[in-house]
Amino acid sequence: YFYDLCDRVGIAVWAEIPFNAQAAKDDPDTNAVEQMTDLLHQCMHHPSIVCWGIQNEITLGEARRDPRPTVERLHALVKSIDPSRPTTQANLGQVATGDPIHSLSDLDAMNLYCGWYYGTADEIGPTLDDLHEANPGVPIGLSEYGADTHVGYHSGDPQPGDYTEEYQALLHEEYWKALSARPYVWSSFVWNMFDFASDLRAEGGKAGRNMKGLVSYDRETKKDAFYWYKANWSSDPFVHICSKRFVNRHESPMTVKVYANVPDVRLEVNGTDIGAGDRDGRIVTWPVDLGEGSTTVRAVADGCAPDETTFVRVAEADESYVCPEPAPFGGGSGRMERESWYEKEGLEADPSIYSTWTALGDLLDNPATKAVLE
């Protein structure tokens, strides 16, 4: 039924089997081949399907079954049943750029989360360039990217891992800039359109949710990042004031940011037109002094409905906007930044010995501890 809907409205589909995480140790092929065969026979006549996915984030490692032979077999199987469509795969971001797995399908892509699970958002461009350089004959795509956000969390200085609506929007702005400058990227997929159930998660103030969606789990609330893509993709004229849910403000002046796909956007502050702001593509900003009490701002432009919201000046930062448990990864080295057990107990970790605070990579670097782990 879903494929029928995609056929009807013209949504391009990457259809895949759940060959994920790791290959089975005893028999890695049988079930994957059965599922791939069934998917092809059931769905190959849907015109919306443009490529067949043969694996998603299969894990590579010395201690695991090598999945590459299965990937090769699945590619050959697809070509024997439906040679009209290319095969593709979504590799985990930690897979080495020069790994031969990248060339085992017609198309290649990676799930990359620079600026969320590791690094910074502006690293996405160089990361894609490195992948492209290491695989010059392989079409490179970006099969997942995004950042979790809780629409109740906000910051005037958003940072990786804070789950704020403002940081999610900034990350997507940065990725858009990088992707627009790299026409060799054959595809890019925002992860995700909607927040969705994820049983293992308990983060950002929500249990059982992945909150990378541009829209809330109940499909009721469009996050600011949704309007960033609307500004770039839609021809429907509009203006959108960002951070409307960030009502209580203690800093002044504050920056009012508007997404718009129309020219000549102006801002009215408490009924006074303060004119055009600083424009960078589809982003327009103004510094606005907040007086005592409330300040109403209204973005207006010819040919579309205005957008309006009210901010309230408060004496101190509203702590309800702060996630009580920010992500321990977001940015930097990717190593958890939470307080260790030793610090909680008022003890000092002995750097000369291994402990529960030792990174797994450090253990694997030592042949003796690597042997124990294996």
Side-chain angles (χ1 to χ4, degrees):
Y1 176 68
F2 183 80
Y3 288 130
D4 286 341
L5 292 177
C6 292
D7 293 342
R8 188 177 308 159
V9 302
I11 293 178
V13 176
W14 162 331
E16 71 182 18
I17 61 169
F19 183 35
N20 171 264
Q22 60 179 307
K25 291 182 179 179
D26 53 350
D27 181 9
D29 288 0
T30 300
N31 184 262
V33 166
E34 288 177 353
Q35 292 204 47
M36 193 81 247
T37 302
D38 288 347
L39 177 65
L40 288 161
H41 286 161
Q42 291 167 9
C43 300
M44 63 187 291
H45 297 302
H46 283 282
S48 57
I49 297 175
V50 297
C51 57
W52 300 110
I54 55 180
Q55 66 95 351
N56 191 317
E57 292 194 348
I58 199 69
T59 308
L60 305 175
E62 293 180 8
R64 298 178 183 272
R65 179 75 176 250
D66 184 359
R68 298 177 188 89
T70 303
V71 172
E72 289 184 283
R73 181 174 179 184
L74 291 171
H75 168 76
L77 173 66
V78 171
K79 305 313 283 188
S80 69
I81 298 176
D82 179 19
S84 69
R85 291 183 178 92
T87 59
T88 190
Q89 55 183 327
N91 281 302
L92 188 67
Q94 283 74 18
V95 172
T97 57
D99 194 285
I101 197 170
H102 293 295
S103 62
L104 299 184
S105 53
D106 296 318
L107 307 172
D108 185 55
M110 292 192 75
N111 301 338
L112 296 172
Y113 287 94
C114 303
W116 186 244
Y117 292 123
Y118 44 78
T120 56
D122 59 2
E123 292 174 1
I124 184 58
T127 300
L128 289 168
D129 291 340
D130 290 344
L131 185 63
H132 182 49
E133 183 178 354
N135 302 274
V138 179
I140 300 300
L142 181 58
S143 38
E144 285 185 25
Y145 69 96
D148 289 78
T149 185
H150 186 303
V151 294
Y153 297 147
H154 303 280
S155 173
D157 182 26
Q159 299 295 323
D162 65 9
Y163 292 97
T164 63
E165 191 170 11
E166 289 71 27
Y167 181 74
Q168 184 195 40
L170 287 176
L171 180 138
H172 283 284
E173 291 171 18
E174 188 67 39
Y175 273 64
W176 178 273
K177 181 170 60 177
L179 291 167
S180 298
R182 290 167 173 80
Y184 66 77
V185 178
W186 74 267
S187 65
S188 59
F189 297 84
V190 176
W191 196 258
N192 201 300
M193 182 62 177
F194 304 103
D195 291 352
F196 60 95
S198 182
D199 182 52
L200 297 178
R201 289 176 179 262
E203 57 187 82
K206 285 282 187 181
R209 296 279 173 85
N210 185 310
M211 295 184 292
K212 293 183 183 68
L214 305 180
V215 182
S216 61
Y217 183 81
D218 60 8
R219 276 60 169 168
E220 294 296 322
T221 304
K222 297 180 178 72
K223 304 175 188 179
D224 284 339
F226 171 92
Y227 291 98
W228 169 243
Y229 287 99
K230 181 175 180 178
N232 285 283
W233 282 340
S234 177
S235 58
D236 179 23
F238 84 103
V239 292
H240 170 76
I241 299 173
C242 297
S243 299
K244 287 194 191 75
R245 285 171 279 274
F246 188 8
V247 176
N248 296 333
R249 303 291 189 120
H250 75 285
E251 77 280 7
S252 183
M254 63 166 284
T255 298
V256 173
K257 181 168 72 173
V258 168
Y259 293 147
N261 62 356
V262 291
D264 303 324
V265 182
R266 304 180 309 282
L267 192 71
E268 297 174 358
V269 179
N270 290 332
T272 300
D273 190 333
I274 63 170
D278 294 327
R279 184 146 197 160
D280 181 8
R282 302 302 169 98
I283 304 171
V284 192
T285 57
W286 295 261
V288 173
D289 288 313
L290 298 179
E292 297 300 320
S294 62
T295 299
T296 298
V297 297
R298 188 169 185 259
V300 297
D302 294 338
C304 65
D307 194 22
E308 181 177 302
T309 195
T310 298
F311 301 107
V312 176
R313 182 76 182 277
V314 293
E316 298 179 356
D318 188 337
E319 293 300 319
S320 69
Y321 293 144
V322 179
C323 177
E325 294 186 1
F329 28 77
S333 66
R335 188 174 294 186
M336 291 188 175
E337 300 295 337
R338 286 182 295 193
E339 184 180 33
S340 75
W341 176 84
Y342 296 97
E343 292 164 327
K344 289 179 181 178
E345 296 297 316
L347 305 173
E348 282 190 26
D350 184 348
S352 68
I353 61 173
Y354 293 132
S355 71
T356 57
W357 202 239
T358 301
L360 184 58
D362 296 333
L363 297 176
L364 292 174
D365 287 340
N366 183 316
T369 52
K370 179 179 179 181
V372 172
L373 288 168
E374 291 182 344

